[in-house]
Amino acid sequence: MQGATITDRIRAACEERGWGPTKLAREVSLAAGRGPDGLERQYARRWMTGERKPSPEQWLPFVVQVLQLDLTRGGVVNSGDPNQASMDTVAGVLALGRSDVERRTVLAATASFALSALGLPDAEAVTRRVSTAPSGAVRVGACEVAAIRTMTRTFGDAAAEYGGAHVRQLAVQYLTGSVGPWLEGRYTEATGRGLYAATSELVHLCGWMAQDEGGDDHHQGLAQRYYAHAFALAEEAGAAELAATALRGMATQAIDLGPRGRAVALRLSERCVDYADRLDEPKAVAYYQTTLADAAALDGDPRLARTALARSQHAIEKATAAPGESWASHFSTGRWAHHAGMILARLGDLEDAHEHLQHALDVHGLDRRRSRAIVLGDLGDVHLRQGDLDGALTAWSEFIDCADGVQSVKITDAMTDMRVRLSRYGKAPGVAELDGRAAVLLGDA
């Protein structure tokens, strides 16, 4: 169906299956995790007649999934018609950003969305934007691309120190207010690919900050959508490492879901590793192999977990200490040691887990407050699992020192988990004091 609209493709796919609006609404709603009645029949009918288009930040990925639409080959046209905006990655990410700024997005992270996002990139997106840019649009060059990368680093540094909640709204406002007009501006194809790649980094950061800000459905759903758009932008820019890192973001979300997310986590992690074959950056290879090891450990496959962990160690040992230009350059030896330690803990190897976590702290520093706090929280948990209450109290006391002022759901969850685990040791020296300090930070005192 060369040149077909989204309406044409939805209608043809439904006719092929013998589906009417009721069936389409039911299947899309189930795929979105909203039950059989979460989408009204009238919305599906309007998609089939062309009165409305499925929104890219809410329904489109699930329509793509259940109807098995291919939007990247022989695909949906976009000739500047505003009704076609839902099929354009730039329009989709800006719509998501604006709905985020206006607090009108209600989303949830789902396994089906994570998998359907693999089909979202549009191979002709950049060239189409270049050829259809209006003459009055703002001219964009290398300076704008560099500005996005500088601002992304600035936002990222603040979030790494004080948590994602501190600057997320500023980053999203920058995306919609400053980067948006550049994406819709005039540029060469080479500049366009650089612009898409730089925007992918910013969008990925928005997703990471949303994921770090809250563990509720809304924040996790936002994060997943940002990751999906970051993946699409990176693929359209031809930036393999950025695409893999966006997939890793969705993989870590699935890992955080626990056993119910293990199959999706493993699949997304495998896709990340597929990209590693195209890369020469050891830190990136270590980054993705570590994620695969974590997903395999969750999936109950210790052999694959240890194989991937060994490959990640081999890669990180070849990495230089210099930051470099790679988006994965933040994945230092210390951060690898932390992740490796937690994977080993998941596999039940507490002695080696303890050694890796202590190594991350003592040898490699991890000077970011948020990062150091998370490692200390994990180290306290490993101490306790080893039967060493005094060691746990020592690590957790330093954890609370580092955590003060950091706004991160990982910190909040770790502190809550600590209090629950210590509740059985209420009469031991130092426990009540530590619990009280945690209660103050959590606002429970």
Side-chain angles (χ1 to χ4, degrees):
M1 298 182 65
Q2 183 68 35
T5 67
I6 184 61
T7 299
D8 294 334
R9 298 177 78 82
I10 290 173
R11 188 163 48 232
C14 287
E15 289 176 356
E16 181 180 343
R17 291 164 173 75
W19 290 6
T22 301
K23 177 65 171 176
L24 177 60
R26 175 184 173 83
E27 294 302 318
V28 171
S29 183
L30 287 170
R34 302 193 181 190
D37 304 314
L39 175 66
E40 294 182 15
R41 176 185 181 277
Q42 62 178 340
Y43 285 99
R45 181 188 64 78
R46 289 169 182 167
W47 296 341
M48 296 173 72
T49 61
E51 296 174 56
R52 296 188 65 170
K53 304 295 187 293
S55 61
E57 68 271 19
Q58 186 173 15
W59 295 116
L60 178 60
F62 305 111
V63 173
V64 170
Q65 177 189 344
V66 301
L67 295 179
Q68 298 180 322
L69 300 182
D70 182 355
L71 306 185
T72 63
R73 290 182 290 275
V76 179
V77 299
N78 186 322
S79 57
D81 179 352
N83 289 331
Q84 299 292 328
S86 63
M87 301 318 303
D88 181 271
T89 303
V90 166
V93 73
L94 294 181
L96 177 61
R98 292 183 187 111
S99 65
D100 185 5
V101 169
E102 296 167 8
R103 308 290 209 284
R104 57 183 173 84
T105 305
V106 180
L107 300 167
T110 66
S112 56
F113 181 92
L115 293 179
S116 67
L118 297 174
L120 288 180
D122 175 1
E124 303 301 321
V126 176
T127 54
R128 186 171 58 248
R129 280 274 173 181
V130 169
S131 63
T132 61
S135 59
V138 62
R139 187 74 182 174
V140 180
C143 288
E144 286 74 19
V145 175
I148 296 171
R149 291 203 162 102
T150 298
M151 290 300 292
T152 300
R153 284 194 297 270
T154 301
F155 290 135
D157 286 343
E161 189 75 19
Y162 299 108
H166 270 281
V167 292
R168 186 175 74 81
Q169 284 299 322
L170 288 176
V172 176
Q173 288 168 4
Y174 179 68
L175 169 66
T176 58
S178 297
V179 179
W182 295 339
L183 288 168
E184 295 176 327
R186 289 185 297 134
Y187 38 80
T188 65
E189 183 169 338
T191 297
R193 296 195 186 282
L195 181 63
Y196 273 44
T199 304
S200 174
E201 296 178 3
L202 175 61
V203 172
H204 182 277
L205 180 62
C206 289
W208 180 87
M209 289 191 290
Q211 184 179 359
D212 193 54
E213 182 174 349
D216 56 282
D217 285 348
H218 172 68
H219 284 96
Q220 295 304 307
L222 270 177
Q224 191 177 58
R225 270 62 175 187
Y226 278 123
Y227 287 143
H229 283 297
F231 170 68
L233 285 164
E235 278 283 84
E236 291 163 11
E241 183 184 323
L242 297 181
T245 305
L247 290 180
R248 182 192 175 277
M250 287 191 284
T252 60
Q253 278 194 304
I255 289 170
D256 288 344
L257 288 174
R260 64 192 176 99
R262 63 185 186 179
V264 174
L266 188 64
R267 183 68 191 108
L268 291 172
S269 300
E270 289 170 338
R271 285 295 302 271
C272 290
V273 169
D274 289 344
Y275 282 91
D277 294 336
R278 314 182 208 173
L279 305 175
D280 296 322
E281 171 54 57
K283 289 181 181 178
V285 174
Y287 202 30
Y288 309 139
Q289 289 285 359
T290 302
T291 307
L292 176 59
D294 201 0
L298 174 65
D299 198 44
D301 189 342
R303 182 176 179 180
L304 175 58
R306 291 186 182 278
T307 298
L309 191 58
R311 289 172 178 165
S312 73
Q313 181 174 358
H314 178 71
I316 202 68
E317 287 173 349
K318 295 193 299 182
T320 62
E325 294 298 321
S326 167
W327 183 237
S329 63
H330 74 284
F331 195 64
S332 63
T333 304
R335 286 180 170 79
W336 175 84
H338 173 219
H339 284 275
M342 295 313 296
I343 292 165
L344 290 167
R346 194 190 292 274
L347 293 172
D349 190 348
L350 297 180
E351 185 175 347
D352 279 352
H354 183 179
E355 182 179 342
H356 277 76
L357 295 178
Q358 198 67 58
H359 190 70
L361 292 168
D362 294 344
V363 178
H364 300 288
L366 295 178
D367 56 349
R368 299 289 192 187
R369 290 181 64 190
R370 177 187 174 278
S371 299
R372 190 170 183 85
I374 289 172
V375 179
L376 285 163
D378 290 336
L379 180 60
D381 182 61
V382 169
H383 269 295
L384 194 66
R385 290 173 62 184
Q386 289 180 302
D388 180 8
L389 177 60
D390 289 340
L393 293 174
T394 299
W396 277 334
S397 180
E398 191 177 347
F399 160 62
I400 291 178
D401 289 339
C402 287
D404 191 3
V406 178
Q407 297 181 26
S408 164
V409 69
K410 283 188 173 292
I411 299 294
T412 301
D413 288 349
M415 204 170 297
T416 302
D417 183 79
M418 177 197 76
R419 296 184 70 195
V420 172
R421 294 184 186 281
L422 285 178
S423 64
R424 71 184 64 175
Y425 305 97
K427 295 182 179 180
V431 169
E433 179 189 357
L434 192 62
D435 182 75
R437 292 174 61 197
V440 170
L441 294 186
L442 292 171
D444 296 337

